[in-house]
Amino acid sequence: MTLPSAARTVVIGGGVIGCSIAYHLAREGRKDIVVLERSKLTSGTTWHAAGLVRRLRPSATLTKLINYSIDLYGELERETGQATGWTQTGSLTLATNQDRLTNIKRQVSLGRAFGLEAEVVDAARAKELWPLIETDDVIGAVWSPADGRVNPSDVALALSKGARARGVRIFEDTAVTGLQKKGGRVSSVEIGERVIEADEVVIACGLWSREVAAMAGAHMPLYACEHFYILTKPLAEVQALCKGAHLPTLNDQDAFLYARDDVEGLLVGCFEPHAKGISTRDLPADFSFDLLDEDWDHFMPMMENALRRIPALERAEVRMLLNGPESFTLDSQFMLGESPEVPGLFLMGGMNSTGIALAGGAGKAMAEWIIAGEPTMELNEADIRRFGPEMNVLGALEARIPEVLGRHYDNPYPGRAMETARGQRRSPIHAGLVAAGAQFESRGGWERAVHFGGEAAHLPLSFGVPAWRAQVGTEVEACRNGAAILDQSAFGKIMVQGPDACAFLNYLCAAQMNIPEGRIAYTQILNALGGVESDLTVQRHGPETYLLIVGAGEVVRDLKRMRESRGEFRVEFTDMTSGYAILGLAGAKARDVLQATSNTPVPDLKRFHFAPVEIGLARGWAGRLSFTGEEGFELYIPADMAMTAYEALLAAGAGHAGLYASGSLRIESGFRAFGHELTPGTTPHEAGLDAFCAMGTGFVGEEALRNHIPARRIVSLLFDNPDAIPIHDEPVYFGGAVVGQITSAAWSYRFGRSVALAMINAPLDQLAANQVVAGFEVEIACTRYSARAAFQPAKEAFQ
């Protein structure tokens, strides 16, 4: 078989991910698909993966993808005759301290929202399930009977066999040497002197994906780490226990370990705290079915943990210490989607040691995205558009990725933050916030102030009452009754200009954009299915000039959608994010403080209006709106004058507030946030924002919303018991049945208990007929807490 000169779709990479994408494209009816593999099928990360499959993940999307994968792996054996090795063994996760037990109980509760049942067991039951373990320090465990394992290479071979049967052409020993573009769109693939023209190109080549994407000028921020596990020779204790069967997968996350039986011996792997990154520059050009050097000095602390947990290992003969590279991302979630920089180039990688479990479902999701032109399911946490080019800095990746692997088993406490690659993007007033005692978290590369109590009010982290509760309470008070500065400079700012600016934005945005100059419109950008792609405000500065203020994580996705939507509109748009600071000024005294900074009168603005303003020595403009729901302004100031404006506000009596305070107030006010209440799978009607949709203007997604009656809605929840501390995603019950999940939660200083927003599907009729409906329960770490719900904001409904 010779290489074709053209193909509809070219997939680069013959591991389990590339084979899955090709298989699903073909199964969906796509013809003329070519897979190019630089070595042999299953080489790279696939062949040395441990093959563990855990059904339960931190979100509905990831859990759905893995459940599909498991179903597929069974079907593939019947379809192709190629075994995948899927075996349902169950998994056992140990807890040796109370926080770990709370965390795994939270996972059990989360699983119930998806219909997955797991059992909390004691140490004695854990010993019965895994007789080889020492349990003297175990205070509890979770038994998940639906989990299992596969043979990764066999899965990839089954997928490739199924793909070939549907006409996919696969070429091994075929290394891609370049990518070509025409008019900015990917157009062909170079293999030495040969060229394959293509309508779409898919990059799924594991460790090398970042470098291959760079051939087309695309950004794919991932990096590799060394990943270790030992394999032992057959062990009498394992032989006696298994007898043709298998032990459950063992997870001892407090010791950074996982284990399973393997060919009558044991496989014991780790996510060690001090991981080792490795650059592809340090690998041989022909690295494929290869391993890195054994490093017993590095692995020995984990080996000591393993010997403590599984004493039988002392009698085992180690067959090998396997050290294979795997790729990880900055936020420990994999990435997929069309490149924001290069149309027609689709990217998938950075699987963070979940590639085998996710391969089936993620491959299907990617194939559907390629065919439909946009996602067909909720994929927000994996969407590659969450990463901007500034996050693809090699120095940041080399620093951060080893920490990502090293914290794989960390408890996901509220307030947990990464420590490496910090300070990449800083607000123009960052130095002032540092001097004021800000505690920062890195979000999307930006340093964001979460509160102003410093580390003393931040640690220790906890699933219970956080150390910062009192500090944030003072900041909330300032936002209500004083004047508090909230640094919102990380928000994206996109300037839209041109003769067709108004018409273009009326097509792009759901709200009416033909507003007077000096007005601000609140709106959403929707996809063709009516789901929310972005949540933003739009300022009209002139007949042909608008400024969009978007969430910090929405700039890349908004610019991509704008490029795709421009068509014949005479319009230009420019990312102005780094050019301006945004200072929120919230509270009853906000106007007085603002006036005290200026020798000119502060305009008497109505809500959602803006006007020029002088702040100390700075000139900018003020908008009358606040994301806290309290009285206040947003102040838009050129970056080079932001510090002098900030200093003038402080001198006039302003205080500070961070994201935790604004989050509490936001949830009390019922304000929706993108990535929480608003996602590409959520419609404005479900979010209660249909009043902001200007039906009849022809905006993208309008047709999908016509006659749309939502079967689920966002509600406000107020807990009855002050001991209830939800975080997010907890299942909501009504009448004994799961009816939804928490989307955002915070402590309410107004009510002295937790308040939340939740997406629920029942009882919508009762909520429509009554201001408040009781009888709800929320399960947190296997304990249910009663709550009341309302369509209205909490601060209005529960007074």
Side-chain angles (χ1 to χ4, degrees):
M1 187 166 58
T2 60
L3 283 172
S5 60
R8 177 73 182 274
T9 308
V10 174
V11 178
I12 304 173
V16 68
I17 300 299
C19 290
S20 180
I21 295 168
Y23 169 84
H24 284 96
L25 281 169
R27 202 172 79 167
E28 291 293 322
R30 176 62 60 94
K31 305 296 183 183
D32 197 14
I33 302 165
V34 168
V35 175
L36 306 177
E37 166 53 47
R38 63 190 285 274
S39 178
K40 302 294 184 184
L41 292 180
T42 79
S43 64
T45 305
T46 297
W47 81 269
H48 60 71
L52 308 181
V53 180
R54 293 179 58 233
R55 286 184 183 264
L56 181 58
R57 295 292 163 173
S59 74
T61 293
L62 297 180
T63 300
K64 181 178 180 179
L65 294 179
I66 289 175
N67 284 333
Y68 171 83
S69 295
I70 292 171
D71 293 340
L72 174 68
Y73 298 159
E75 293 171 8
L76 281 172
E77 293 195 19
R78 295 186 290 273
E79 175 189 333
T80 67
Q82 167 69 52
T84 62
W86 163 249
T87 306
Q88 184 171 320
T89 62
S91 69
L92 181 69
T93 303
L94 307 179
T96 61
N97 59 71
Q98 190 58 51
D99 281 353
R100 179 68 63 187
L101 185 59
T102 297
N103 183 39
I104 62 178
K105 283 183 175 181
R106 287 182 58 83
Q107 294 175 8
V108 171
S109 294
L110 177 63
R112 289 171 182 160
F114 311 142
L116 297 177
E117 284 298 329
E119 181 184 359
V120 180
V121 300
D122 60 16
R125 176 60 175 150
K127 179 80 170 177
E128 291 177 8
L129 290 164
W130 235 92
L132 300 183
I133 61 173
E134 175 60 59
T135 60
D136 59 344
D137 60 341
V138 173
I139 65 170
V142 167
W143 162 237
S144 305
D147 294 343
R149 57 198 278 188
V150 292
N151 184 320
S153 294
D154 287 344
V155 170
L157 291 173
L159 288 164
S160 67
K161 189 173 182 180
R164 280 191 170 111
R166 290 175 166 83
V168 174
R169 290 171 288 174
I170 299 176
F171 297 87
E172 297 178 299
D173 299 312
T174 306
V176 171
T177 56
L179 298 174
Q180 298 178 1
K181 296 185 289 186
K182 288 182 181 179
R185 182 181 177 88
V186 71
S187 60
S188 54
V189 179
E190 299 175 5
I191 305 99
E193 298 298 318
R194 301 291 303 274
V195 174
I196 303 176
E197 295 184 356
D199 293 342
E200 304 118 359
V201 175
V202 184
I203 295 176
C205 42
L207 312 176
W208 294 271
S209 294
R210 181 175 183 269
E211 287 77 9
V212 176
M215 294 177 181
H219 296 279
M220 200 170 178
L222 55 79
Y223 194 78
C225 275
E226 302 182 28
H227 184 51
F228 297 86
Y229 60 77
I230 61 165
L231 294 166
T232 76
K233 291 184 177 180
L235 189 60
E237 289 89 340
V238 176
Q239 293 172 321
L241 284 170
C242 292
K243 297 179 181 178
H246 291 289
L247 289 167
T249 299
L250 179 69
N251 301 291
D252 185 3
Q253 296 170 348
D254 293 322
F256 316 106
L257 299 174
Y258 62 86
R260 66 171 173 84
D261 62 278
D262 183 84
V263 195
E264 298 185 330
L266 289 173
L267 178 157
V268 182
C270 66
F271 289 94
E272 71 278 21
H274 303 290
K276 296 174 64 179
I278 183 167
S279 170
T280 52
R281 298 186 303 257
D282 299 327
L283 299 176
D286 59 352
F287 191 92
S288 56
F289 290 102
D290 299 281
L291 294 171
L292 304 173
D293 293 339
E294 292 186 348
D295 188 342
W296 279 103
D297 288 342
H298 181 79
F299 187 73
M300 191 52 66
M302 301 301 103
M303 188 65 182
E304 291 172 356
N305 289 349
L307 291 168
R308 166 79 177 82
R309 181 62 61 209
I310 309 172
L313 275 174
E314 294 181 0
R315 296 180 292 279
E317 185 177 348
V318 175
R319 181 155 50 96
M320 68 181 305
L321 172 58
L322 187 146
N323 178 8
E326 292 191 28
S327 57
F328 293 77
T329 62
L330 291 161
D331 61 0
S332 75
Q333 294 286 7
F334 77 103
M335 64 179 79
L336 85 165
E338 187 176 20
S339 164
E341 298 87 17
V342 184
L345 182 65
F346 290 83
L347 312 172
M348 184 165 161
M351 303 309 294
N352 300 277
S353 284
T354 60
I356 303 304
L358 285 166
K364 179 176 186 290
M366 177 68 111
E368 291 178 351
W369 188 334
I370 293 168
I371 292 169
E374 60 183 345
T376 59
M377 62 177 293
E378 184 71 76
L379 292 169
N380 215 36
E381 63 260 62
D383 194 320
I384 195 166
R385 291 172 291 182
R386 72 192 188 273
F387 294 126
E390 68 281 352
M391 303 179 78
N392 191 30
V393 175
L394 188 57
L397 294 170
E398 289 177 337
R400 171 64 62 81
I401 298 306
E403 185 185 9
V404 170
L405 183 150
R407 301 182 70 170
H408 188 79
Y409 282 155
D410 271 12
N411 279 322
Y413 296 112
R416 184 182 67 160
M418 304 300 281
E419 297 175 357
T420 54
R422 295 295 298 268
Q424 184 183 33
R425 302 191 78 177
R426 307 180 204 188
S427 158
I429 66 165
H430 179 80
L433 302 181
V434 171
Q439 177 73 23
F440 295 95
E441 290 180 12
S442 178
R443 301 189 182 188
W446 284 92
E447 291 296 313
R448 305 294 303 274
V450 293
H451 62 73
F452 286 83
E455 191 172 278
H458 199 71
L459 300 175
L461 299 180
S462 169
F463 291 117
V465 177
W468 57 79
R469 181 176 285 181
Q471 168 62 34
V472 173
T474 65
E475 296 174 23
V476 166
E477 174 64 19
C479 288
R480 286 200 178 116
N481 300 312
I485 298 170
L486 299 112
D487 183 21
Q488 299 167 187
S489 300
F491 284 4
K493 305 109 187 166
I494 303 172
M495 186 72 76
V496 179
Q497 297 171 296
D500 294 336
C502 181
F504 172 71
L505 289 175
N506 263 337
Y507 175 69
L508 182 75
C509 301
Q512 174 59 256
M513 293 291 108
N514 191 12
I515 55 178
E517 295 176 33
R519 285 291 304 275
I520 302 172
Y522 170 61
T523 188
Q524 287 78 43
I525 295 174
L526 308 181
N527 55 42
L529 300 177
V532 177
E533 290 287 335
S534 185
D535 185 56
L536 63 154
T537 57
V538 181
Q539 306 171 5
R540 189 166 197 175
H541 285 256
E544 300 181 358
T545 305
Y546 292 80
L547 183 67
L548 281 55
I549 307 297
V550 308
E554 298 162 53
V555 177
V556 172
R557 64 188 307 122
D558 288 352
L559 289 171
K560 182 176 188 295
R561 191 157 291 271
M562 292 167 80
R563 288 192 293 268
E564 295 168 345
S565 303
R566 176 158 45 188
E568 300 300 317
F569 289 109
R570 296 168 298 167
V571 66
E572 298 293 335
F573 32 87
T574 308
D575 182 4
M576 308 292 290
T577 300
S578 297
Y580 290 90
I582 302 179
L583 304 184
L585 186 65
K589 298 179 181 177
R591 181 182 174 80
D592 293 339
V593 166
L594 184 57
Q595 183 61 75
T597 70
S598 179
N599 292 328
T600 60
V602 172
D604 186 15
L605 293 170
K606 296 180 181 178
R607 282 183 59 77
F608 286 94
H609 286 67
F610 69 92
V613 67
E614 295 179 4
I615 312 166
L617 302 179
R619 289 183 62 87
W621 66 98
R624 178 94 187 284
L625 71 165
S626 170
F627 197 48
T628 64
E630 303 299 318
E631 285 297 315
F633 302 88
E634 285 185 355
L635 307 175
Y636 312 92
I637 308 155
D640 53 359
M641 290 193 284
M643 184 57 85
T644 191
Y646 168 74
E647 291 166 346
L649 292 169
L650 290 183
H656 294 86
L659 292 178
Y660 294 168
S662 64
S664 173
L665 292 165
R666 170 186 79 80
I667 295 169
E668 281 184 0
S669 298
F671 290 173
R672 281 55 167 147
F674 186 75
H676 296 271
E677 293 71 45
L678 305 176
T679 72
T682 305
T683 68
H685 294 63
E686 292 171 333
L689 300 177
D690 44 305
F692 295 95
C693 295
M695 303 299 288
T697 56
F699 60 85
V700 175
E702 178 180 344
E703 192 59 36
L705 299 182
R706 203 176 302 282
N707 303 317
H708 173 47
I709 300 175
R712 56 180 193 161
R713 289 283 304 276
I714 293 290
V715 298
S716 297
L717 287 174
L718 180 66
F719 286 80
D720 296 323
N721 187 339
D723 293 335
I725 305 178
I727 301 172
H728 54 72
D729 294 331
E730 293 86 356
V732 180
Y733 289 78
F734 188 83
V738 175
V739 296
Q741 284 181 271
I742 298 290
T743 54
S744 297
W747 183 258
S748 169
Y749 295 87
R750 181 187 302 268
F751 297 109
R753 61 200 64 196
S754 290
V755 66
L757 296 173
M759 179 70 83
I760 64 171
N761 57 34
L764 302 186
D765 53 344
Q766 292 187 39
L767 286 159
N770 300 277
Q771 177 169 306
V772 176
V773 175
F776 287 87
E777 292 182 305
V778 177
E779 184 170 310
I780 306 171
C782 298
T783 299
R784 294 193 189 179
Y785 296 89
S786 62
R788 294 172 287 156
F791 281 148
Q792 290 179 282
K795 69 180 185 181
E796 298 174 12
F798 302 120
Q799 293 292 354

